[in-house]
Amino acid sequence: MSIDRILHPGLRQRIVSAEAAATLINPGETVAMSGFTGSGYPKAVPQFLARRIEQAHGRGEAFRINLLTGASTAPELDGALAKVDGIAMRMPFQSDPDARRRINAGKLDYLDIHLSHVAQHVWFGFYNEIDTAVVEVSAIHADGTLVPSTSVGNNKTWLDLAKKVIIEVNQWQPAGIDGMHDIYYGTALPPHRKPIPLVRGDERIGQTTLRCDPDKIVAVVLTDAPDRNSPFNPPDADSQRIAGHLIEFLKHEVARGRLPANLLPLQSGVGNIPNAVLAGLASSGFRDLEAFTEVIQDGMLDLLKSGVLRYASCTGFALSPEASEAFMRDLDFYRQRIIMRSQEVSNHPELVRRLGCIGMNGMIEADIYGNVNSTHVMGSSIMNGIGGSGDFARNGFLSIFLSPSTAKNGSISAIVPMVSHVDHTEHDVAVIVTEQGLADLRGLPPRRRARALIDNCVHPDFRAQLQDYFDRASHDSHGKHTPHLLNEALSWHQRWLDTGTMKA
């Protein structure tokens, strides 16, 4: 592998193997690594660290680390370390099946927090001092500044606070990505905060590179490996119906004068349904759209290429292999239309509120009053995490949650009497969409919200059952403002655990 991307003479002298770099991480350390939704994570050092941990465990020695990232990573990082029981604590978001199994078995402590909170919490020392940062970049300039790769995430914070830093320079990342980033160094902690001077999502307020004291960089590792680049499924019939309901609603809002003709800046969660919504927007007639979001996935690249989307601001990518190839092939085009920021900016409540974002995120379930569970299956088993959905739901102009009306081959209803875990209260949820229809909950008191959800969003197999619960609760509950039968409110979940179906 070539060293041509490392232009700082002193840092060229610190090139070592990934195996040697991994020996610089000690048991019990708090280690912060780059990575956001499967992009821009270190590819080599975590795997050699996992081997060290496995060997230590084979000798009967204790070796685990506390692991912080931007969001989810990939099998080479989360998966490798989880498989060898190398993680004591993980935060703020994960999607790895091995890590998930350990979390739900009570063997791995997991802190699931809003992504906009991470940098501030780390600065205040809630997760101990950062002993080591392992950060992927695409190049190192002669002045020692670092060119980020396909995600920024919390890298600015990691580089600022870590006692020692390991840099992976990944030659697979396109050299032309240099200049796409906007790293803002004007944030501060209370009482020294000042407004972030961003009033349009396509503005630049920072610099294109990350800063790090070269004296803290103890190792530089050369890599040449792709991001995770997981494929998306083609939109199925339910996803297309969900997209259709939402696009019809957005057109209605424009006609009523509540949204401009080009809408407001879009935020989209990651997954097949949000991708189907983006695909639907391509043929919807909307033009000159904008995106201020966390992640760019296939659908947003398509919208940019077609001219439907004018620009996109993000902190990372989540692309299929085909979309990743298209991004690299047309990098000059995308570099003029994509801005990548630190996640403390991409998810900042101040900016989400100022820009008036339209948040579109998935959910596990909602209850008849509009409370949403994004994270826990049957109330106690974590799926992935809240991610940035709360940053946009609480602070955006419109908070929209999307889901098929059923799961597990129709045995689970996505609309239930009471959610088994609350991530987004009814106060932060404006619209819920399933393939059955859309419920606009704005301006509705609790009982009217329940009627809107039952009438529009519930699968026919569960509608009569849910209506029966609501009717009896309205008559028999202790209070009538938000009627519930407490002895039945979570009975649907218990029935599924006992019998494998929520159906009565």
Side-chain angles (χ1 to χ4, degrees), residues 73-150:
T73 62
E76 302 100 305
L77 199 167
D78 270 311
L81 292 171
K83 282 180 180 177
V84 298
D85 190 24
I87 308 172
M89 184 277 287
R90 178 73 171 90
M91 83 92 172
F93 185 89
Q94 61 76 42
S95 61
D96 182 78
D98 289 297
R100 185 184 302 120
R101 279 192 287 270
R102 297 197 65 80
I103 292 166
N104 288 324
K107 298 178 180 179
L108 194 166
D109 288 338
Y110 179 50
L111 282 75
D112 175 29
I113 70 172
H114 297 297
L115 297 186
S116 67
H117 288 178
V118 177
Q120 175 175 287
H121 285 194
V122 172
W123 274 100
F124 277 122
F126 296 157
Y127 311 107
N128 302 321
E129 294 182 332
I130 297 177
D131 297 294
T132 304
V134 186
V135 175
E136 179 186 271
V137 303
S138 61
I140 302 176
H141 284 166
D143 62 359
T145 57
L146 310 172
V147 180
S149 62
T150 42

Side-chain angles (χ1 to χ4, degrees), residues 212-233:
C212 181
D213 179 358
D215 290 340
K216 292 204 304 184
I217 299 176
V218 296
V220 176
V221 176
L222 297 174
T223 64
D224 188 355
D227 284 333
R228 185 177 65 196
N229 294 332
S230 300
F232 288 100
N233 296 325

Side-chain angles (χ1 to χ4, degrees), residues 383-397:
M383 178 57 70
N384 296 327
I386 195 169
S389 58
D391 299 324
F392 289 87
R394 164 94 18 129
N395 302 291
F397 181 79

Side-chain angles (χ1 to χ4, degrees), residues 19 45-56 80-81 84:
E19 184 174 14
V45 172
Q47 295 185 74
F48 280 101
L49 176 60
R51 293 185 195 179
R52 281 190 65 215
I53 292 172
E54 186 174 34
Q55 291 166 358
L81 292 171
V84 298

Side-chain angles (χ1 to χ4, degrees), residues 229-411:
N229 294 332
S230 300
F232 288 100
N233 296 325
D236 60 17
D238 283 351
S239 297
Q240 290 175 333
R241 281 193 284 268
I242 290 170
H245 295 318
L246 178 54
I247 291 168
E248 181 182 357
F249 166 77
L250 294 173
K251 290 181 176 179
H252 172 77
E253 292 297 287
V254 172
R256 293 289 300 272
R258 291 194 281 246
L259 288 174
N262 66 334
L263 304 179
L264 288 167
L266 303 174
Q267 177 263 339
S268 174
V270 177
N272 291 311
I273 293 176
N275 217 39
V277 171
L278 296 172
L281 286 169
S283 58
S284 65
F286 286 113
R287 302 289 297 181
D288 204 29
L289 301 181
E290 304 171 350
F292 189 84
T293 188
E294 308 153 286
V295 180
I296 290 178
Q297 52 187 341
D298 292 23
M300 280 197 180
L301 284 191
D302 294 340
L303 290 177
L304 286 166
K305 196 66 175 176
S306 67
V308 173
L309 188 65
R310 187 168 63 83
Y311 75 85
S313 170
C314 69
T315 194
F317 291 93
L319 301 176
S320 68
E322 296 78 14
S324 180
E325 290 178 11
F327 171 72
M328 293 187 179
R329 185 173 59 247
D330 299 321
L331 187 57
D332 289 341
F333 173 87
Y334 290 117
R335 188 171 52 245
Q336 305 305 315
R337 293 161 178 83
I338 293 174
I339 303 172
M340 300 185 69
R341 313 181 190 275
S342 298
Q343 75 186 59
E344 64 178 321
V345 173
S346 69
N347 289 61
H348 202 290
E350 172 191 354
L351 301 178
V352 173
R353 176 64 61 89
R354 179 184 298 149
L355 298 174
C357 294
I358 298 173
M360 302 179 292
N361 290 284
M363 65 180 189
I364 290 175
E365 62 182 0
D367 66 28
I368 56 176
Y369 300 113
N371 299 291
V372 166
N373 170 15
S374 294
T375 59
H376 286 71
V377 176
M378 299 298 140
S380 58
S381 294
I382 192 76
M383 178 57 70
N384 296 327
I386 195 169
S389 58
D391 299 324
F392 289 87
R394 164 94 18 129
N395 302 291
F397 181 79
L398 261 178
S399 59
I400 301 167
F401 287 91
L402 316 165
S403 174
S405 63
T406 62
K408 293 290 184 182
N409 299 316
S411 67

Side-chain angles (χ1 to χ4, degrees), residues 11-68:
L11 294 179
R12 279 192 173 188
Q13 303 305 311
R14 296 178 200 169
I15 296 174
V16 300
S17 68
E19 184 174 14
T23 65
L24 302 174
I25 299 173
N26 301 309
E29 285 194 354
T30 295
V31 182
M33 298 197 187
S34 61
F36 199 101
T37 57
S39 62
Y41 57 91
K43 312 294 193 292
V45 172
Q47 295 185 74
F48 280 101
L49 176 60
R51 293 185 195 179
R52 281 190 65 215
I53 292 172
E54 186 174 34
Q55 291 166 358
H57 289 174
R59 297 189 297 268
E61 300 170 6
F63 196 153
R64 301 173 86 195
I65 63 168
N66 300 320
L67 177 63
L68 321 180

